Amino acid sequence: MIPQIITIDGPAGAGKSTTARRVAEALGFVYIDTGAMYRAVTLAVLRQGIELTDAAVTRLVQTLNVELHHGPDGQHTFLNGEDVSLHIRSAAVTNAVSAVSALPGVRRALVEIQRRIGRQGGVVMDGRDIGSVVFPEADVKIYLVADVDERVRRRLAEVQLRGEQVSEAVIRHQIVERDRLDSSRADSPLVRPQGAIDVDTTCLTIDAQVQRILDIVGEHRTV
Ligand code: DC
């Protein structure tokens, strides 16, 4: 049998979302981008001008409906019925998301949704704490890394493709700062999950990353 839950964790820009999406497609699985869920909550916090305390944001989260839908052109993120897929990639959201996702009440609410989706099986889920906290018992856990210069280069190419004018220095600062905050927070920091298999993507093409993970999944197949 093919493993039913595949987790992919790692720092910003390691290639998680593209790789996870392609692995899911190859296996006929659903891809769950948990970073998009934290981004949607962050967008709501910014729009409503909510104070960044655990109590205030936890209250807000309980009024939100965050959903991921899959269409022919990929995954879309909905916040209370509105497609916010583009809004959640803005610089304002990117700069605030680490602080919002460090709040325990936010994590509790989103982890519950992630577990509910994952228990249905046939998922590839990427994030920062999926193999360590959300599904520590997952069949296959991947820890995706790449050196920081390469991650900066990739993020820069990605934002330029969206037509944004951002300097390399700004992207580098965002990535280094997000790594620091995501790895040092008290609740569910980014760590290499126990039992995870390391995949360093610094010198790998997307095709090679996807193939490497499919090979690992194949090795875990049971009869
Ligand atoms: O993967 P991403 O860059 O879209 O994630 C945005 C932020 O969300 C990331 O900086 C930390 C947070 N996050 C998290 O805390 N836990 C997850 N499982 C996924 C993302």
Side-chain angles (χ1 to χ4, degrees):
M1 209 175 95
I2 303 179
Q4 287 298 299
I5 299 181
I6 297 161
T7 69
I8 304 184
D9 291 293
K16 293 187 302 295
S17 50
T18 313
T19 309
R21 182 172 44 76
R22 296 255 313 258
V23 168
E25 268 165 27
L27 296 171
F29 280 17
V30 174
Y31 163 49
I32 305 294
D33 173 358
T34 64
M37 300 168 82
Y38 288 96
R39 285 172 180 272
V41 172
T42 304
L43 179 66
V45 167
L46 295 177
R47 279 181 172 176
Q48 299 189 31
I50 302 287
E51 194 192 352
L52 260 194
T53 63
D54 192 39
V57 181
T58 302
R59 249 193 325 272
L60 169 73
V61 169
Q62 272 139 24
T63 70
L64 301 177
N65 183 18
V66 176
E67 288 177 273
L68 303 178
H69 289 287
H70 300 269
D73 59 340
Q75 180 190 263
H76 286 252
T77 307
F78 287 81
L79 175 63
N80 292 343
E82 175 192 352
D83 186 346
V84 292
S85 310
L86 286 180
H87 301 292
I88 61 169
R89 304 289 157 196
S90 71
V93 169
T94 299
N95 288 332
V97 67
S98 289
V100 172
S101 61
L103 300 171
V106 173
R107 304 206 70 79
R108 257 197 314 277
L110 295 188
V111 166
E112 194 186 314
I113 299 173
Q114 291 155 13
R115 287 193 175 135
R116 210 165 42 229
I117 300 170
R119 277 197 211 104
Q120 294 165 14
V123 296
V124 180
M125 197 172 282
D126 79 353
R128 302 294 188 288
D129 63 338
I130 310 303
S132 57
V133 172
V134 184
F135 286 111
E137 74 288 11
D139 310 289
V140 174
K141 301 194 267 188
I142 307 288
Y143 191 53
L144 211 64
V145 293
D147 77 29
V148 73
D149 289 339
E150 177 60 19
R151 293 191 285 128
V152 170
R153 201 188 58 72
R154 290 178 190 167
R155 258 303 134 87
L156 196 60
E158 198 181 298
V159 296
Q160 282 170 349
L161 202 67
R162 288 205 298 269
E164 293 167 28
Q165 299 294 321
V166 190
S167 73
E168 196 205 297
V170 167
I171 298 279
R172 183 176 295 273
H173 176 76
Q174 277 177 356
I175 285 190
V176 170
E177 190 56 12
R178 237 157 25 103
D179 281 358
R180 189 182 69 74
L181 293 170
D182 295 345
S183 308
S184 64
R185 68 181 176 219
D187 189 340
S188 320
L190 168 66
V191 289
R192 180 182 177 281
Q194 240 179 22
I197 297 169
D198 291 315
V199 176
D200 185 332
T201 69
T202 307
C203 300
L204 295 181
T205 62
I206 290 288
D207 284 348
Q209 292 168 37
V210 171
Q211 194 51 54
R212 172 90 188 90
I213 294 174
L214 289 175
D215 289 346
I216 293 169
V217 171
E219 285 159 18
H220 282 75
R221 192 185 283 259
T222 52
V223 280

